[in-house]
Each structure stands twice: as structure tokens, then as C-alpha cells.
Amino acid sequence: LDSVNAIPTTCYGKADGSFMLFASGGNPPLRYVLENTFDSLLTASYNNLSSKNYVITVVDDRNCFKNFDAYVPQPNPLKIATNITHNDCVGIDTDGRITAIVTGGTMPYQYRWSVQNNNTDSFISGLPNGFYALWVNDKNDCKDSLRAEIYYDNCCTPGIPNAFTPNNDGRNDVFRILYKGDVELKEFSIYNRYGQQVFTTNSVNVGWDGKFNGRDEDLGVYYYLIKMICGNEKNQEIM
């Protein structure tokens, strides 16, 4: 055997590899048989192959033969991982950042994001909370994609207004919890000055409209009780 010239597949798992085997000696002409098939070739050139080790039998004119190995390689799978910076309840929630970490395939890589259409970098920044998609192509047009999410980084900042005006003018008509971040409400109850409960809910988006049993309550001072879980790790209770 003089040499084997193997060309790898363009993408992982693709069957477009090839090799050429050059043999000499024996009594020409030489014939080549791939993997014990019935077909023999006068030139050992094989195309459209998947990645594996192939056995080629070289047979001369006197049926003397010898087996040789030819390995067709392939690139590693093209994979995308991410390093994500989430928003932290400070500012206007546009500090999110996604950095793509690509391995495998054949460099260079090309990046395309679902936002910031002119951005072909490996990262995007200045992101509000939400989902973002990335498509990556390598030199041989092998492809991979992913969907990443920006969310709050285990934070919450609850707030309670000190008054409201339920007069149906469309402004400040409901007394509700104001919050930013991740909040799980256990209880939000309101009591009048006699200790009577006039409102309760466990939905953070529901507020009191100033009514009790369908009737408007009197103007005055009311008391509230709030129990909530603050942050997405659910390990901080506020009361």
C-alpha cells in the first residue's frame, strides 16, 4: 500500500466523505473490493461515504490479495451553548446579554439572531426580558440553532401605594400590589378599622376596587396584610 487520501464528511453524520487508495506491487492489474462487496474497481476511489473505518481488499491478477483499512473522519457535532446575563430589577430592564459559545463543525462560524438584524456577532446585549433565537452556520453550511430566555435574576421589588381613589375615573381606581421581578403572592388581604376582612386574593394582578359585598366602603383608613415569595429561587418570604 502506497497511501490513502481520505476527505472527511462536511458535517457530523453526513454521508459525503470519500477516499482514494493507492496500492502497488503484486501482478497488475490490481482490483479493489470495498467491504467484501461483489463489485470490484480498477481504481480505489469511493465517494458519498459516512464516517467509519472501511476495509478494502486489493486483489492482483493471480488472485493474491491483501486487506487495508481506510478511515473517513468527520467533524465534531456543531453545538451551541450560552452564557446569559439576566436582568436584575434595576433600571429599565434592558441589561440582558446572551453570548453564544459554539463548538464542533468547521470554523469560521456565522451567527444570525432573531433580533438586531445587522448583528452577526457571537453575542447580543441590551435585552429586555423575553425569548431570543440564534442560528449558526459553519464553513460547510452545517447548522445548529437554539432559543434562549432572558428573565429576572432572582429579584423582586414590591411596592404598596399609600392611597387610591375608587371613583371610576379610570385613574388609580384599584388598590393593588406594585412589583418588579418575580413574585408569588400567598395572601393579600385588606381589613377595615373594625378588623373585618373586606378583600382577599392570592393573585398578584388582582386588586381591591373599594367595594365589600358589592357596596362601596366608606372613606377612611384600612389595613392590609401581605405574604409573598420574592425571587425565582423561592427562598425569600416577605410579610
Side-chain angles (χ1 to χ4, degrees), residues 49-64:
L49 301 176
S50 58
S51 174
K52 59 175 282 188
N53 188 71
Y54 294 89
V55 177
I56 306 96
T57 302
V58 181
V59 185
D60 72 0
D61 194 47
R62 294 181 180 177
N63 286 326
C64 300

Side-chain angles (χ1 to χ4, degrees), residues 166-185:
N167 56 6
N168 296 318
D169 66 351
R171 296 180 300 175
N172 202 28
D173 286 331
V174 177
F175 184 76
R176 59 163 51 94
I177 299 174
L178 306 177
Y179 69 96
K180 188 176 181 181
D182 298 299
V183 168
E184 179 184 339
L185 183 63

